[in-house]
Amino acid sequence: MARIRVGLLDSTRFMVGTLPMPKFADQEKTQIATDRDNGQPLYTVTVFLMEDERAEAMKITVPKGGLPDGLMPGVAVRPVDLFATPWARIFNGQLSDGIAYRAGSLELAAPVVPDAGEMAA
């Protein structure tokens, strides 16, 4: 499958929506998925991507070593080495498709505080 590097604008902001959850390798959720390169357990974090006047929820898979301390809902983060992988499958005769997002790590980012002039506008 094609992995596509995601370029981010300087104005793009991300905010954590959920705590990291283990990513499972099986339907029964008995085996945690691991990174092929380093064997670290993988976690999924829901974040809100905010750009211009819109916000979208997206799930990003991150190896355990790429999750910073202090990660909690509402915290500003920045994905490092973010890639998108389109996928499609047929299950019970129905086509499902989407995009899987993967980052090497999440960095804590300083929250953006509007200046007094922006708040008055």
Side-chain angles (χ1 to χ4, degrees):
M1 280 198 199
R3 283 180 15 138
I4 303 163
R5 181 178 291 275
V6 177
L8 301 173
L9 300 173
D10 289 338
S11 61
T12 303
R13 303 287 178 241
F14 291 86
M15 183 175 64
V16 175
T18 64
L19 292 174
M21 300 294 294
K23 182 176 178 96
F24 292 96
D26 59 344
Q27 292 278 344
E28 296 79 25
K29 296 186 177 185
T30 60
Q31 184 178 0
I32 294 179
T34 57
D35 186 283
R36 292 180 188 153
D37 295 331
N38 60 29
Q40 289 185 24
L42 295 174
Y43 286 79
T44 302
V45 180
T46 299
V47 299
F48 295 101
L49 176 148
M50 294 169 286
E51 196 170 76
D52 298 324
E53 295 180 5
R54 66 183 182 91
E56 287 185 36
M58 61 189 286
K59 293 182 180 182
I60 301 177
T61 299
V62 182
K64 184 176 183 175
L67 297 171
D69 292 335
L71 201 61
M72 57 184 7
V75 170
V77 293
R78 185 101 175 143
V80 176
D81 294 329
L82 182 62
F83 286 87
T85 304
W87 60 269
R89 68 179 175 153
I90 296 176
F91 184 73
N92 289 337
Q94 296 288 332
L95 174 66
S96 296
D97 61 355
I99 299 172
Y101 292 97
R102 173 79 181 262
S105 64
L106 295 177
E107 292 179 341
L108 297 180
V112 176
V113 178
D115 63 28
E118 291 177 5
M119 292 177 64

